[in-house]
Amino acid sequence: MRRLFPVTDRTAPAAAPAPQVRPEGRSEAPVNLVDREWTLDELAEAYAYPALLTTPDAPATSDAPRRWLRANMVSTLDGAAQHDGRSQAISSDADMRIFGTLRGLADVVIAGAETVRLEGYRPARARDAFAARRAADGQAPAPAIAVVSASLNLDFSLPLFTSPLVPTLVLTGAAASPDRVRDAEKAGARVIVAGDGPGVEPDRAVTALADLGLVRQLTEGGPRLLGQFAAAGVLDELCLTVAPLLTVGSAQRITGGPVLPDPERFALAAVLEEAGFLFTRYRRI
C-alpha cells in the first residue's frame, strides 16, 4: 500500500510514524504523509478493534463494549456497490489488503447467503502475518464464516461447509426447514437460530455470536444484510472504500431495504488514500 494519508483517527493508535506535512495554502492542522507501502502489521494497528470483553459472562462496561460489529464495503463515486454483479471489479490491490487485514482481525465474518453464492465464498484461511496477534488475543487461527439464510438454500457440499479451518456457522430463523438444518449440520456447519420466524433478527444474531465468544464481528454484506443491520441499530462501524470510478447503470448501493425514518449519524474516524481510492472509517455516534 503506498501514499496513504491518515487524515484523522480519534479512536486508534497511529499506524506508523511519519513526517508532518502541511498542504500548500492550507491552514488546517498537518496530516501524516506515508509515501511507502504499509506493512500488514501497521494496517492491523490502524484497524484494531476497540478494547473488548472476550468472555460471554463478563459484565459490559461503558468503555469495553460487549461486542463490536463493523462492516467492510466498497462503492464507486456514483454509489454502485458492484459491477456486473460482483464487487471485485470496483476494488483494488490496496482495497484487498485492507479486506485481508479486516478478516485477519475478526473473530467472525458475517455474510448473507446471496453474497456467499455470488462471490464464491470459501473458508477463511490462517495467515502468518496475523498468527501472533490472534494467538495473543485468544482467537482461533482464522475467523469463522457465519452465513445468514432464512431458506438455507445453500450448497452444503462446498468447501465452505465441508473443510473450513474453523467450523462454518449458519444463522437462520426458527421456521427454517428441519431437513435443511439437518443437511447443514451433517455437512459440519453449526446452525444458530436467531429469529422466531423464517428470518434472522439482527440484534439476536450479533448477540448469539457474542455468546460464543465471537465479539470482534465483521460483515461483508451484501447490501440487504447490511441494510438490516443498520436499520436495527447494531452496526458500530463502517469501513467504506470509495473507488474513483463511475459505472452508471442501476447497481445496488451498499445498503438495501426500507428507508429509515431518521438518518443515522456516523462520525469520521479515519481516512486513508491510495491512487485515488479513499479508505474511510466511520463510527456510530
Side-chain angles (χ1 to χ4, degrees):
M1 219 172 176
R2 296 186 183 279
R3 202 166 179 76
L4 297 177
F5 295 81
V7 175
T8 179
D9 192 338
R10 306 180 183 92
T11 56
Q20 297 292 308
V21 296
R22 187 180 300 276
E24 189 71 20
R26 299 285 295 277
S27 59
E28 292 90 345
V31 298
N32 291 329
L33 170 60
V34 181
D35 195 5
R36 61 170 173 80
E37 184 169 289
W38 280 21
T39 67
L40 289 178
D41 194 54
E42 288 169 337
L43 284 175
E45 287 297 322
Y47 283 90
Y49 278 83
L52 291 168
L53 299 179
T54 56
T55 56
D57 57 348
T61 64
S62 59
D63 60 346
R66 176 73 170 79
R67 52 93 194 142
W68 190 266
L69 175 64
R70 67 169 31 148
N72 181 31
M73 300 292 283
V74 59
S75 171
T76 63
L77 294 175
D78 52 348
Q82 53 190 225
H83 183 64
D84 198 23
R86 300 188 65 185
S87 61
Q88 186 176 0
I90 60 174
S91 182
S92 67
D93 290 343
D95 183 48
M96 293 309 298
R97 282 172 64 81
I98 290 178
F99 174 91
T101 298
L102 295 180
R103 279 197 166 200
L105 298 174
D107 294 324
V108 60
V109 177
I110 311 168
E114 185 66 13
T115 296
V116 167
R117 287 188 287 264
L118 288 175
E119 302 286 349
Y121 265 53
R122 298 184 62 84
R125 59 190 178 92
R127 300 182 61 185
D128 291 342
F130 302 104
R133 185 183 296 269
R134 294 186 69 87
D137 288 337
Q139 295 176 284
I145 303 294
V147 183
V148 178
S149 177
S151 67
L152 299 186
N153 181 23
L154 299 161
D155 185 351
F156 295 118
S157 68
L158 294 176
L160 177 61
F161 300 100
T162 61
S163 57
L165 184 61
V166 179
T168 293
L169 309 171
V170 177
L171 295 164
T172 192
S177 163
D179 290 340
R180 296 304 290 165
V181 170
R182 282 192 292 270
D183 290 343
E185 294 175 335
K186 185 178 179 181
R190 178 171 183 174
V191 178
I192 300 172
V193 174
D196 293 330
V200 168
E201 299 167 23
D203 57 340
R204 288 182 59 176
V206 296
T207 298
L209 293 172
D211 287 343
L212 297 176
L214 306 174
V215 294
R216 301 172 185 86
Q217 300 173 1
L218 169 68
T219 180
E220 296 168 350
R224 182 170 174 269
L225 180 64
L226 181 54
Q228 291 172 345
F229 282 139
V234 299
L235 182 67
D236 299 295
E237 179 179 326
L238 173 63
C239 298
L240 176 64
T241 296
V242 180
L245 303 170
L246 294 173
T247 61
V248 195
S250 57
Q252 285 183 299
R253 296 160 48 192
I254 66 168
T255 59
V259 176
L260 291 176
D262 297 300
E264 187 168 14
R265 182 68 182 267
F266 279 62
L268 180 65
V271 180
L272 307 177
E273 184 272 347
E274 183 191 75
F277 282 80
L278 296 181
F279 306 97
T280 70
R281 283 198 299 126
Y282 288 88
R283 291 190 171 181
R284 185 158 54 105
I285 296 175

